[in-house]
């Protein structure tokens, strides 16, 4: 979703490739300062890098065949990222897990794209910002094994350059959502239950609110359907305690493995026919449509010059578009489509 | 490209499917009136329906296996279309040839999207419009056989409702372009030569101008490359005699078969490897990126509720995205990519 917002701006420098991972992508001033804001920056970077390590380790262990290829990049003025991609694995067709840390200066229109304001209080001048996030899309081979996407990000603006006294802004965003081609109720219930448990540790209103937000966000308007069966999604979250939200984002990121891996263990070796595969490919076509047409992060990143290969790693290895395909009413394919058109309460 | 602009507007009625082709999709008032404007409407509709018939016949004849499936649709207030799609043929993986005739009322923002004005002289109120066009994308199976796209359209606005005395506007748009995965110089030269001959019959400035316009239009900005090897493209064309432009569009549409069919005859049975196929699929991924992210007609159509299946029939049956794929310097794949990055003069 919108992590890539943060990895791109028309005013961001071109990245350079690195041969080694630095211990931090923060600017020295952030790294050595002890005010609470830089502490959040530091701790958020550590959290997403730990999450990248643990998710990649879990994926490689279950895949058994594929290995992640790592690309490290940085920008001269500070910031950078680590892209890891496993392609043509035994279990996953394409699995990307990226972290990035970005310092930039947003033009006002970019600021609007990144954070559509509720009340139009967009600052007029260029806005320096800091953003860090983890973003991942995992596309398995087996059509009964669902695709997973998750993304957790932290965003701060400095005072705008033409308004040095103005307060900083910060917010958290993210979510985890599941995109199966076929419904196994126990899988979907398990996935949503883990999301709910993570939410409930912090606020009993989070799950219902973020579940609906997720259904609303991953909407392919021209199809009248969602790309998948949802999960949780939130953005622009700043009306709670900052420490609490950092813990919440950490809990969500740590829930990815327990929410997803058991499902893949159950489904990765399920026998399937060419017709099952073809339906999965059609649903991947919908995934491409959503990401290229609607996803805020992707569309913004493409327009403003982010690292293209990192942004588009979310696209499946393969996808398919058939003219006017209509699943037979009552079929398994139809049930999936129906649930994408009419979101359900799974728990 | 932008034919689908005309097949959609947020103020357009939902289409209904028909069991028979009507002899015209024009409103009765247009059909029976003898002013010059309705005469152009009538003759343009006849031209694109004839072109649809002849292109479909040529494709079916060469394919030898696949047959076009036809969908006819209309709108209660006038207008409609014929979508023809051949899928999983012997030669073509997916071939769509659509005609449509649309009466609509454009909201001002739609008017801007359909015709970005050179000087900002956009009319303020809703603008009734008429549009007719043919749009086609032909994706062959063989990776050495190129994809072809062509689209010819005629557009008229009535006087805006709040300015009854204002003059009507009309314009022609369209083009034909070739998207190979591999370069055979004789094919590309032949294709461009036929385009140039069609242009030269009317104006010696057309080919160089419309060739460059095509290279500029089919630009995938985030990749820094074109989707293919071009051809001709023009839009908003109204500064020439209207009869001349109707003849020119007719000539262009009639040039599709001689420009394309001989190339497919030469390449359809060329032996290929899995690696050739995979490269073709990657280029099809670029085709999807262009159409969903940049193409004016597609993006406008998706946003405003055109007939989705007609709009997205331009997408290939299958496509592929590999992370950070770089063809080896000097390879055949690299040569294609180089020509997409640095457009050439082929004749």
């Amino acid at each position: 979703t919108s992590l890539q917002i943060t990895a791109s701006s028309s005013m961001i420098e071109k990245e350079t490739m690195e041969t080694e991972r630095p211990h931090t992508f923060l600017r020295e001033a952030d790294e050595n300062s002890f005010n609470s804001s830089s502490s959040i920056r530091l701790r958020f970077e550590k959290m997403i890098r730990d999450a990248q390590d643990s998710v990649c380790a879990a994926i490689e262990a279950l895949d058994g065949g594929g290995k992640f290829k790592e690309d490290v990049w940085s920008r001269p003025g500070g910031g950078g990222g680590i892209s890891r991609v496993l392609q043509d694995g035994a279990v996953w067709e394409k699995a990307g897990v990226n972290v990035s840390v970005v310092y930039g200066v947003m033009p006002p229109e970019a600021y609007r794209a990144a954070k559509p304001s509720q009340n139009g209080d967009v600052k007029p001048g260029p806005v320096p910002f800091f953003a860090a996030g983890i973003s991942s899309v995992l596309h398995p081979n087996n059509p009964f094994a669902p695709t997973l996407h998750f993304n957790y990000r932290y965003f701060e603006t400095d005072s705008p350059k033409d308004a040095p006294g103005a307060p900083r802004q910060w917010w958290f965003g993210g979510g985890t959502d599941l995109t199966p081609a076929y419904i196994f109720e126990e899988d979907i219930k398990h996935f949503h239950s883990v999301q709910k448990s993570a939410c409930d540790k912090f606020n009993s209103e989070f799950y219902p609110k973020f579940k609906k937000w997720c259904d609303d966000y991953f909407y392919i308007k021209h199809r009248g359907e969602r790309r998948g069966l949802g999960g949780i999604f939130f953005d622009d979250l700043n009306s709670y305690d900052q420490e609490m939200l950092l813990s919440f984002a950490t809990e969500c990121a740590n829930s990815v493995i327990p929410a997803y891996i058991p499902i893949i263990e159950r489904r990765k070796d399920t026998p399937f026919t060419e017709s099952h595969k073809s339906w999965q490919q059609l649903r991947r076509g919908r995934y491409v449509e959503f990401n290229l047409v609607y996803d805020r992060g992707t569309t913004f990143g493409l327009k403003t010059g982010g690292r293209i290969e990192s942004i588009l790693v979310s696209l499946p290895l393969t996808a398919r578009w058939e003219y006017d395909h209509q699943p037979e009413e009552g079929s398994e394919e139809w049930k999936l489509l129906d649930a994408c058109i009419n979101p359900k309460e799974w728990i």
Side-chain angles (χ1 to χ4, degrees), chain A residues 1-10 12-15 73 75 80-81 83 98-104 106 114 129-133 135 153 155 297 300-302 304-308 310-311:
Chain A
T1 67
S2 36
L3 182 259
Q4 296 90 350
I5 281 170
T6 65
S8 58
S9 149
S10 51
I12 276 180
E13 309 153 299
K14 188 80 194 150
E15 67 275 356
W73 49 275
R75 291 208 169 84
S83 296
N98 300 338
V99 299
S100 68
V101 170
V102 178
Y103 293 89
M106 307 174 93
F129 71 89
F130 167 88
S135 182
R153 56 195 181 273
F155 211 100
F300 184 81
L302 294 183
T304 52
R307 185 173 183 262
I308 294 306
S310 297
I311 295 169

Side-chain angles (χ1 to χ4, degrees), chain A residues 294-306:
Chain A
Y294 298 103
D295 186 67
R296 280 164 67 184
T298 305
T299 55
F300 184 81
L302 294 183
K303 273 177 197 142
T304 52

